[in-house]
Amino acid sequence: KSVIMNRDKKKILLIINPNAGRIKSMRTLSDIVDIFSHAGFVTTSYSTKAKGDATQLVKEHAQNHDIVACAGGDGTLNEVISGLMSLEQAPPIGYIPMGTSNDFAASIGLSTNIKAAARDIVGGELLSHDIGCFNKEHYFSYIASFGAMTEVAYLTPQKLKNYLGHTAYMLDGARHIFKIKAFRIKLEFEDKFFEEDILLGGVTNSRKVAGLVKLKDDKISLNDGSYETICFKKPKNIKQLSYTIKWFADQKPNPMVIYDRASRFKIRSEEYIPWTVDGEFAGYHKEVEIENKMGAVNFFCPKKKE
């Protein structure tokens, strides 16, 4: 723990995951604190040591601070959000993305440059953001998902990956996709009901899905009270597989893809399914209920250019 004291200044609680992918040394912490200090803030910093530490630190200290900032990956941010959702009044969040993928940061336009991200916390503008509640026990900022598609990434030849990028997974998947386990689910939302064998599915509040595709839907909003659900049915033949691949290219209505939006979702299955929230394991479940908490938190983002 390190503290810079000055009772006349506003306070930032800074939570750092020292094991995040891009944290190299204590110099990183020094750079962040210097930027906060020069902007007139008192910085109190803590480093996490184990899973769940960030949530506990927020519960214990956030209400005594004007801003909660975290430096780490999406998992660290998820813990911070979980802590804030337990408070009656949550201070705004500043996120310095230091993970390896930083999917969430990309979706709201945060810089992956550490100093730039720190400056945006003390000089940026606030963005209201919906938060997902998963079975009333987990929270997520951008995705809750299930499925077994990751196997394709390991089976696709490296030369094909280099030449075609993500498209390689789709094309080479024709050789393997019929062997991948699907989950029989019942999906309910609004007045709609589906029962299908699903390879990969979930509920998202992001313009990017699993790093594979950038959604072209111009109706996507991060703070409108609704989430998108995307579920890929398991193809039974080459023709159905071609429909799935086609969706990745044009994202138009497609018989092999369930794509819709709602504020609440219920997903049931006969067997236990492993779920993740924001890329972190969320347990095995036969029944999942997801609810959108509209505008539950505020993030500091770069100021829009006029």
Side-chain angles (χ1 to χ4, degrees):
K1 173 184 173 182
S2 62
V3 182
I4 299 176
M5 297 299 297
N6 186 326
R7 297 183 183 276
D8 297 326
K9 297 180 180 181
K10 288 188 175 182
K11 299 178 181 179
I12 292 181
L13 172 64
L14 174 61
I15 297 173
I16 295 178
N17 177 359
N19 296 316
R22 297 191 302 122
I23 293 182
K24 302 301 182 183
S25 66
M26 287 301 293
R27 181 65 188 173
T28 301
L29 172 61
S30 177
D31 289 340
I32 295 169
V33 171
D34 283 348
I35 290 169
F36 291 168
S37 180
H38 287 134
F41 287 84
V42 177
T43 302
T44 304
S45 68
Y46 292 88
S47 293
T48 60
K49 297 179 176 64
K51 187 175 178 62
D53 279 1
T55 298
Q56 192 59 37
L57 288 168
V58 169
K59 289 180 178 180
E60 292 176 1
H61 304 290
Q63 290 182 312
N64 298 321
H65 293 78
D66 301 287
I67 297 172
V68 174
C70 69
D74 290 341
T76 306
L77 176 63
N78 179 274
E79 289 191 15
V80 168
I81 288 172
S82 295
L84 290 174
M85 291 297 290
S86 71
L87 306 179
E88 289 187 9
Q89 288 188 320
I93 306 174
Y95 181 35
I96 301 174
M98 292 184 170
T100 52
S101 60
N102 302 308
D103 289 337
F104 175 75
S107 74
I108 63 172
L110 297 183
S111 174
T112 55
N113 178 284
I114 294 170
K115 292 183 180 180
R119 286 192 289 268
D120 287 334
I121 293 173
V122 293
E125 59 186 18
L126 287 175
L127 170 71
S128 173
H129 200 282
D130 298 347
I131 295 298
C133 181
F134 179 97
N135 276 359
K136 299 182 179 180
E137 59 179 315
H138 296 286
Y139 294 97
F140 63 92
S141 59
Y142 71 98
I143 194 168
S145 62
F146 68 92
M149 285 289 285
T150 51
E151 188 175 335
V152 173
Y154 296 103
L155 296 173
T156 304
Q158 187 62 48
K159 287 185 178 179
L160 192 59
K161 294 179 189 178
N162 295 341
Y163 184 69
L164 294 176
H166 286 303
T167 306
Y169 297 126
M170 302 301 106
L171 297 177
D172 196 61
R175 297 193 300 118
H176 307 287
I177 203 166
F178 303 112
K179 300 177 182 178
I180 298 174
K181 178 180 173 59
F183 296 100
R184 187 74 177 178
I185 69 160
K186 297 177 181 179
L187 170 64
E188 298 177 56
F189 57 92
E190 305 294 348
D191 58 350
K192 300 178 181 179
F193 175 85
F194 299 89
E195 183 171 3
E196 299 284 352
D197 292 328
I198 301 297
L199 279 178
L200 174 66
V203 174
T204 179
N205 189 34
S206 174
R207 296 183 178 92
K208 289 186 177 181
V209 180
L212 289 173
V213 60
K214 184 176 182 180
L215 297 177
K216 299 176 182 178
D217 189 345
D218 59 6
K219 295 181 181 179
I220 291 176
S221 172
L222 305 180
N223 51 16
D224 63 353
S226 23
Y227 282 166
E228 287 68 41
T229 182
I230 306 176
C231 293
F232 296 95
K233 302 176 188 179
K234 181 170 182 175
K236 298 177 181 178
N237 52 54
I238 294 297
K239 183 177 180 180
Q240 290 184 347
L241 177 61
S242 70
Y243 278 122
T244 304
I245 295 172
K246 187 175 185 295
W247 185 89
F248 279 87
D250 61 24
Q251 295 180 27
K252 293 180 179 179
N254 189 304
M256 296 303 295
V257 181
I258 300 170
Y259 179 75
D260 215 321
R261 57 172 52 85
S263 60
R264 292 173 180 265
F265 300 86
K266 179 180 287 187
I267 301 169
R268 292 174 292 158
S269 62
E270 294 297 322
E271 63 180 309
Y272 284 100
I273 294 177
W275 279 81
T276 64
V277 293
D278 291 344
E280 300 293 313
F281 182 59
Y284 293 87
H285 303 273
K286 285 186 176 181
E287 293 191 10
V288 165
E289 291 191 26
I290 294 173
E291 179 184 0
N292 180 298
K293 301 289 187 181
M294 184 176 178
V297 299
N298 293 295
F299 283 93
F300 281 101
C301 297
K303 282 187 175 180
K304 294 179 181 178
K305 296 181 180 179
E306 297 180 358

